[in-house]
Every structure is written in C-alpha cells, then in structure tokens.
Amino acid sequence: MHDVANENDVWVFGYGSLIWKADFPYHERRPAYIHGWTRRFWQGSHDHRGTPESPGRVVTLIREPGAVCHGMAYRISAETLGPLDVREKNGYLREVTPLHFTDGEQAEGLVYIATDANPAFLGAASYDAMARHIADSHGPSGPNSDYLLNLADALRAMGVEDVHVFTLAETLEARIADDPRPV
Ligand code: SIN
C-alpha cells in the first residue's frame, strides 16, 4: 500500500535514543541534519537510564554557531506526538527546526531539546567522569551504558562522525575492560 503524506503528518528529528529506539509508529524515516546545534551527554535521566535519586546521563542539544548535528528524521502522524512527549518528558521541550535531508531536500520539523533551564540538566564534565557516571547508572529502560553504546553504533552505521559520542564510548569501553564489574 502506498503511504501518502497527510497534512497532519509532522517530521520529528531524533539525535539520541530516537535514532536507535524507534518504538513508535512512523510512516517514513530518513537521515537528516540540523544546523547550529551540537549533541552532548549533558542531560540527566531520571526516568529511563537512571532514577530521581541517581540520574543517568543522556544527550541533549547545545547551541553552537556553525555546528551540524546529524540524526534521523521520522514522518509521524500528529497523534504520535502525545506518546513521544511522554517518552521525552524529563526536561525535553519540542522546538521547531529547519531539517535538511541528506539527499538535499528540506522540511520543517520538531526536535526535543532539554535546555540548561530544566531541573534535570547536568552540564559538562570530563570524559572520564561522564564515562564513570554512565557505567554506574541504570534506570527503568536499562543500563545507561546501552544508551551510549547503541547511539555510537547507530551513528557509525549511518557514517556520522561524532567526536563527543565516540570519545565517550571509547572511554566507557576502556573503563569496562579495566574494571569488568557488572554494569
Ligand atoms: C532524541 O533522541 O532526539 C532525544 C533524546 C533522547 O530521547 O535520547
């Protein structure tokens, strides 16, 4: 059956778990990028990869002039935004953004961003401190390390170079190899 674009459809740009965990209905999925934002493991996770007492570390976007953030865009029905808002409820707010598809087309889309004004925001730390934090965190969605390593794998599979994510994943893997406690 041909899936015709509906005027109620919206594009959502995913740059974190939305890249590798698309557990929501979508009509179409296309690699895309946005300008002016960079991906950072600076957001606390109270509900997926940690708990309110012991938050995990997940990605958000930080404004950076000239930066490009690559991810995955999904064309979804407007009613799917409700469940996505619930999934992203720990500090993320929807923002409208121009989307660039890798084939040169453009569209307007939505992106979930957790700013430094949200109570779960953690901010910058050294790669070693962030890797240690991630290795030690778990939440209802599973180990925090899975989130990081799945994201690194997905970006690699898409041919995306992301120094921040890859350095953090390598630091975490080296730490696990040195100290193979269950994480
Ligand atoms: C996203 O993936 O676009 C938002 C952050 C997350 O859910 O990991």
Side-chain angles (χ1 to χ4, degrees), residues 68-154:
V68 174
C69 179
H70 287 266
M72 192 60 79
Y74 300 87
R75 183 166 59 81
I76 62 171
S77 300
E79 43 288 9
T80 302
L81 283 174
L84 276 183
D85 286 352
V86 172
R87 171 171 161 169
E88 304 296 326
K89 67 183 185 308
N90 188 205
Y92 294 88
L93 295 175
R94 287 190 223 146
E95 187 147 326
V96 177
T97 180
L99 268 183
H100 302 265
F101 298 108
T102 48
D103 63 6
E105 282 187 32
Q106 294 184 27
E108 187 166 86
L110 297 173
V111 56
Y112 287 91
I113 295 178
T115 72
D116 61 3
N118 88 87
F121 190 79
L122 294 173
S126 68
Y127 280 115
D128 199 52
M130 289 193 289
R132 203 170 341 116
H133 181 171
I134 290 170
D136 290 342
S137 297
H138 293 73
S141 299
N144 203 169
S145 53
D146 283 0
Y147 178 105
L148 168 57
L149 299 177
N150 287 342
L151 179 58
D153 284 349

Side-chain angles (χ1 to χ4, degrees), residues 13-19 58-59 87-88 92 111-112 147:
F13 177 76
Y15 57 90
S17 68
L18 291 178
I19 295 181
V58 293
V59 287
R87 171 171 161 169
E88 304 296 326
Y92 294 88
V111 56
Y112 287 91
Y147 178 105

Side-chain angles (χ1 to χ4, degrees), residues 42-65:
W42 289 5
Q43 172 66 5
S45 175
H46 296 184
D47 54 351
H48 286 296
R49 302 289 163 172
T51 61
E53 298 72 39
S54 189
R57 240 183 209 272
V58 293
V59 287
T60 184
L61 293 180
I62 304 295
R63 275 198 195 281
E64 187 182 299

